[in-house]
Amino acid sequence: MKRRHWWTVLGQWIAWWALVTAAFWLLGKVLDQPTSLIGCAASAVLVIAVGEFGDRLRRRWATIRTVKQRGHY
């Protein structure tokens, strides 16, 4: 991966993490729940990591199903 592309991807991940963190924090404020920004940030990392892992599994399974349907497996 080229250095410039790497920085772009990293910036997008940080922006996504910050957005999810802010959403969790605001949701906690709206629901009148005691929330800390650090707790929201940690929860955002966990949610994003689980979501990305699930997406990769879904893509892998879709590829395997396609290969099996074509008879190449």
Side-chain angles (χ1 to χ4, degrees):
M1 189 176 325
K2 293 183 181 179
R3 183 177 288 252
R4 177 169 278 190
H5 180 69
W6 188 83
W7 281 108
T8 302
V9 170
L10 184 62
Q12 290 171 349
W13 276 85
I14 290 171
W16 180 236
W17 168 75
L19 181 69
V20 174
T21 298
F24 283 166
W25 185 77
L26 287 173
L27 186 63
K29 292 294 183 188
V30 167
L31 296 175
D32 200 27
Q33 297 291 321
T35 58
S36 70
L37 194 56
I38 293 173
C40 291
S43 295
V45 167
L46 181 64
V47 166
I48 291 169
V50 168
E52 287 295 321
F53 180 73
D55 184 52
R56 289 188 188 223
L57 279 178
R58 180 189 59 82
R59 289 178 191 214
R60 180 169 291 184
W61 287 338
T63 302
I64 290 171
R65 277 194 310 262
T66 303
V67 169
K68 281 184 178 180
Q69 288 173 354
R70 292 182 183 167
H72 296 288
Y73 192 68

